[in-house]
Structures are given as structure tokens and as C-alpha cells.
């Protein structure tokens, strides 16, 4: 389990000005690992919060799937973090649109796969507004990669998921809940 950490490889770590040396048999106390883990999750959550802000500015921003993988950083080339990953074609178009869901951005086909950004994100008629439930909340694909297309047909709104706005934001909530549960178990 990740809270138990023992340096197993023979090593000796010391800074010239340090009075403490970490050797091969040093064990890191559980509380220290817990603190480090909580700090890691907090830093991860703050970085993820930026993606959540942008996710709310596009329809189904938290539901984007590419080849079966949830893609939380929709405008970036990496699924879980945009840090150092660069923007994909949709991300560049979204930035040019002032990070706003416009009719032009909706009608565009940023990744060149033959489906508009709106179709891929569940707003085939380009009428979605921030805070509203999109026309379709299923068969969401990634508008920044041509290898990700929606099974929905143009003009097909599909079933509206009326409970979508009440559900938590997925992986972030699960990770924070796991960190809290681990802290309580100590």
C-alpha cells in the first residue's frame, strides 16, 4: 500500500550541510507519508481544478471519452493533465474563441474527423449555454482527436440525462474521498 514506504535499495543520502543521513534501513513514518500524500493530492486537486473550470465552459466537458479513456484535460494532448502536454487542435480553437463555447466553435470540426465539435460534445444544434444540460449526454467523443468519433448521428439529441448536473465530477472527487478515508484510518 502506498502509505508504507521503505527504502529497499542500498543507498546513503546526505547533503553536505545536513546533520541527518538517510540510509538503506530508514523507514519513513506513517504520519510523514500521510502528510506527503495529502500534500500530493492537494496539489493534484488544485491543478485539476483549472481543468474543471474549462470543463464547465463546454458541453459535457467532464464526460469526454477518447478510446474508452476519460479525458479530463479536453484541450490538451494528455488525458489527465495539460501540464507540459501542449494543446490539441480543439484546445487551440477553444483558446482562439476566448475560452467560450461559441456557435462557430461548435460548428467547427477541429480534429477533421467529419463530426462537428458540437456533435462530438452533445450539442449538435449549437444551442448549449453554460450551466444548462446539453441536448445529449451519451456518446460523447473527443473533439480534439480524429480517432475519437461519436456514435450519435447529426441532429440526434439522444436521451437527456436529467441527473447529470447532480453527480460529482468523477475522478477528482474519488481521489479526494480516498485521501480523506486514508487519513481517517490512521
Amino acid at each position: 500500500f502506498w502509505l508504507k514506504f521503505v527504502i529497499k535499495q542500498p543507498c546513503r543520502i546526505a547533503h553536505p550541510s545536513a546533520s541527518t543521513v538517510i540510509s538503506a534501513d530508514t523507514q519513513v513514518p506513517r504520519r510523514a507519508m500521510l502528510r506527503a500524500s495529502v500534500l500530493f493530492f492537494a496539489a493534484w486537486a488544485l491543478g485539476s481544478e483549472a481543468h474543471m473550470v474549462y470543463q464547465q465552459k463546454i458541453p459535457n466537458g467532464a464526460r469526454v471519452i477518447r478510446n474508452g479513456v476519460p479525458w479530463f484535460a479536453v484541450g490538451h494532448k494528455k488525458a489527465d493533465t495539460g501540464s507540459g502536454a501542449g494543446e490539441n487542435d480543439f484546445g487551440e480553437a477553444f483558446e482562439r474563441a476566448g475560452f467560450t463555447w461559441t456557435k462557430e466553435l461548435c460548428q467547427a470540426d477541429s480534429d477533421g474527423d467529419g463530426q462537428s465539435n458540437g456533435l462530438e460534445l452533445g450539442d449538435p444544434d449549437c444551442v448549449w449555454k453554460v450551466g444548462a444540460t446539453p441536448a445529449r449526454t451519451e456518446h460523447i467523443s473527443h473533439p480534439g482527436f480524429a480517432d475519437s468519433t461519436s456514435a450519435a448521428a447529426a441532429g440526434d439529441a439522444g436521451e437527456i440525462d436529467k441527473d447529470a448536473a447532480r453527480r460529482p465530477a468523477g475522478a477528482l472527487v474519488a481521489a479526494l474521498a480516498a485521501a480523506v478515508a486514508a487519513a481517517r484510518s490512521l
Side-chain angles (χ1 to χ4, degrees):
F1 188 65
W2 56 273
L3 285 177
K4 294 179 183 177
F5 177 81
V6 178
I7 300 174
K8 294 183 179 181
Q9 298 298 321
C11 65
R12 185 170 172 80
I13 303 171
H15 188 274
S17 64
S19 60
T20 317
V21 173
I22 299 175
S23 64
D25 58 350
T26 300
Q27 288 191 353
V28 178
R30 276 184 108 182
R31 289 194 188 275
M33 275 309 291
L34 176 63
R35 286 185 192 119
S37 299
V38 169
L39 288 174
F40 169 78
F41 279 114
W44 178 78
L46 290 174
S48 297
E49 189 173 324
H51 299 303
M52 290 175 57
V53 169
Y54 292 120
Q55 287 175 352
Q56 295 170 4
K57 293 184 174 197
I58 59 174
N60 291 306
R63 291 187 182 88
V64 174
I65 303 288
R66 178 183 180 210
N67 300 327
V69 176
W71 209 273
F72 299 111
V74 180
H76 294 272
K77 294 178 181 176
K78 285 188 176 179
D80 56 350
T81 177
S83 178
E87 294 177 339
N88 58 43
D89 293 335
F90 175 76
E92 291 173 0
F94 186 50
E95 184 175 4
R96 284 191 304 273
F99 300 106
T100 303
W101 185 248
T102 63
K103 188 166 187 161
E104 293 77 23
L105 179 62
C106 177
Q107 292 173 339
D109 178 12
S110 294
D111 56 12
D113 63 2
Q115 295 185 335
S116 71
N117 297 332
L119 176 66
E120 292 197 72
L121 292 173
D123 182 25
D125 299 321
C126 300
V127 296
W128 180 83
K129 300 291 180 211
V130 174
T133 301
R136 178 175 37 80
T137 58
E138 295 179 350
H139 306 295
I140 305 304
S141 59
H142 200 301
F145 294 94
D147 64 356
S148 175
T149 56
S150 176
D156 177 21
E159 294 291 321
I160 295 176
D161 185 354
K162 299 199 184 306
D163 294 323
R166 288 180 277 225
R167 281 197 296 272
L172 174 62
V173 174
L176 290 175
V180 169
R184 287 183 181 161
S185 69
L186 292 179

